Amino acid sequence: MHAYETDRHTALVVDAEAEIAHWRARYRDLPHCRYMRWDDVKPAVQIGIDACLKANGRDVVEMLDELESRYGRTGKDSRLDWLHAREVVGAVWVRIWDRNKSKAERLAAFAAAPSKSVDSRFR
């Protein structure tokens, strides 16, 4: 499990192993991956996870040059070229941020809900 504070208000928590397991089970549903091997797709998935953790408040679009350079090193043996790998990176990014956003929304709703103090129960 990895956690990274992306800005003062948002802490991103990612279970990287669970994300890898999720995408390994479903990677053939990703664009351009139907006939790929997992070893061809895995570098893009890992870069997507790392991108979320290292965003520092940046959007994935702002990071594309950096991510492409990294993919050139880590995905050089993959049959998935960068133009298709970046779609995988984007899908991973969206899933992670959407999951964390909904968790944050649930926590905010819980925190905002009126609560009864312990003292009022004993009066």
Side-chain angles (χ1 to χ4, degrees):
M1 178 98 46
H2 302 283
Y4 193 88
E5 188 173 334
T6 58
D7 60 38
R8 327 183 273 181
H9 305 290
T10 308
L12 180 66
V13 177
V14 178
D15 184 341
E17 292 171 5
E19 284 299 315
I20 295 278
H22 169 84
W23 290 109
R24 184 176 187 142
R26 294 169 183 82
Y27 76 93
R28 292 190 191 273
D29 296 333
L30 289 165
H32 314 290
C33 297
R34 170 162 269 154
Y35 302 107
M36 295 284 173
R37 299 173 324 209
W38 169 242
D39 290 340
D40 291 322
V41 179
K42 186 177 179 181
V45 169
Q46 290 175 316
I47 286 176
I49 294 167
D50 290 343
C52 289
L53 293 169
K54 297 176 181 174
N56 277 339
R58 296 180 291 170
D59 187 77
V60 70
V61 174
E62 297 173 61
M63 302 171 66
L64 283 177
D65 290 340
E66 173 187 337
L67 299 175
E68 180 179 9
S69 176
R70 286 185 54 208
Y71 189 74
R73 292 187 305 274
T74 62
K76 65 179 181 247
D77 296 328
S78 173
R79 293 184 302 148
L80 193 63
D81 65 22
W82 170 245
L83 290 178
H84 297 130
R86 72 187 225 164
E87 292 182 41
V88 173
V89 170
V92 171
W93 176 278
V94 167
R95 174 181 152 80
I96 289 172
W97 280 101
D98 281 354
R99 290 185 69 184
N100 275 272
K101 179 182 174 187
S102 63
K103 285 179 188 174
E105 288 170 350
R106 287 193 306 266
L107 286 172
F110 176 77
S115 64
K116 296 181 181 180
S117 70
V118 174
D119 294 333
S120 67
R121 291 189 307 178
F122 295 106
R123 289 186 191 173

